[in-house]
Amino acid sequence: MFDWDVLLPDFWSILDAVPVTLAMALTIFVFSTLVGGLFALIEHRRIPVLRHLVTGYKVVFKGVPMVVAIFLAYYGLPPALHFVAGLFGIEVNGHSLPNWVIIVVALSACVAAFQAEVVKGALNSFDSGQSDAAHSLGYSNGQLFRRVLFPQIIVSAIPDLANSFMVIMKALSLAFAIEVVDIFAQAQLTAALNFYYLEAFILAALFYMVIAYVVTKIADLLEARLRIRT
């Protein structure tokens, strides 16, 4: 039976994992967006060789399940770090790498493939005639990007970027596979102590729903303000 008395203690227990989860999600979001944005620019400008490498990267990381990528990073990243450091004569114990760093690296690599598509779609929506007009006014490529291109593509990309953040939040539930505690993992640990699993998972779902609501509202406000400026 559902027990209301455990909700408050479980709430405070699960709440402890919220800041850590948000910090990891934000870090992954920033890294994956930067890498994905770079990949999108490479494809948009059709840079030889690099364009094919980006395409291959996206095929690999779109096809590999995130949980598989996590375990590949868990078992492969420490020895790889040790090997690369050894090439430069640096002694590094790769196995001392914190598990949360492995999660950040693994999920950033996976999400970057999808972020590249988000940014690529935003770039393709940009009217190339505006570039010609800007160049005719004497704009350099840097000025074109800062004053014309970037403000428009970021507005187009905001809804999809907000969705990507929530995908990252949910993907972090896989982190418990290598003993990294997020909201979902904390709910599991809390329920394991008192055996009230339904209550704990309902609270975890509510936390995710509140975060999704806040992220959506922030994205809507940001999009509205940027549209006014552009």
Side-chain angles (χ1 to χ4, degrees):
M1 295 294 292
F2 192 88
D3 192 339
W4 294 92
D5 293 335
V6 303
L7 288 181
L8 188 58
D10 284 4
F11 174 85
W12 291 115
S13 177
I14 298 172
L15 183 63
D16 289 339
V18 172
V20 175
T21 305
L22 289 175
M24 288 192 295
L26 185 59
T27 303
I28 294 167
F29 177 80
V30 171
F31 285 157
S32 62
T33 304
L34 290 175
V35 174
L38 177 61
F39 289 168
L41 285 173
I42 289 172
E43 287 194 296
H44 184 70
R45 294 181 178 275
R46 301 181 180 275
I47 300 176
V49 182
L50 290 180
R51 181 188 176 195
H52 297 294
L53 291 176
V54 168
T55 301
Y57 179 95
K58 291 196 298 183
V59 169
V60 170
F61 282 96
K62 282 182 181 179
V64 174
M66 289 187 182
V67 67
V68 175
I70 288 171
F71 279 110
L72 286 174
Y74 182 70
Y75 291 107
L77 195 57
L81 180 63
H82 179 77
F83 174 76
V84 171
L87 294 178
F88 296 95
I90 303 172
E91 286 294 330
V92 175
N93 181 11
H95 295 285
S96 64
L97 197 66
N99 286 355
W100 69 266
V101 174
I102 294 174
I103 285 293
V104 168
V105 171
L107 293 185
S108 294
C110 290
V111 178
F114 297 95
Q115 298 291 65
E117 298 294 356
V118 171
V119 179
K120 181 181 176 181
L123 284 170
N124 290 337
S125 68
F126 180 72
D127 184 4
S128 59
Q130 295 186 55
S131 298
D132 298 333
H135 284 136
S136 67
L137 293 173
Y139 278 40
S140 65
N141 288 331
Q143 289 174 322
L144 170 64
F145 179 80
R146 292 193 309 272
R147 299 181 181 180
V148 182
L149 179 60
F150 182 75
Q152 293 188 43
I153 65 172
I154 194 64
V155 170
S156 300
I158 282 176
D160 290 328
L161 291 176
N163 290 336
S164 297
F165 185 84
M166 291 314 304
V167 168
I168 293 168
M169 285 290 300
K170 290 185 281 189
L172 280 171
S173 62
L174 302 171
F176 199 38
I178 60 171
E179 301 177 352
V180 176
V181 178
D182 72 321
I183 293 173
F184 171 71
Q186 187 61 47
Q188 284 185 299
L189 294 172
T190 300
L193 295 175
N194 56 22
F195 300 103
Y196 288 99
Y197 286 91
L198 178 61
E199 291 82 351
F201 289 133
I202 287 176
L203 285 172
L206 289 174
F207 274 112
Y208 284 118
M209 290 169 61
V210 170
I211 292 170
Y213 176 79
V214 172
V215 169
T216 301
K217 284 298 181 181
I218 291 174
D220 289 343
L221 290 172
L222 186 60
E223 182 182 5
R225 290 187 178 183
L226 288 176
R227 284 192 184 279
I228 292 174
R229 292 184 180 182
T230 56

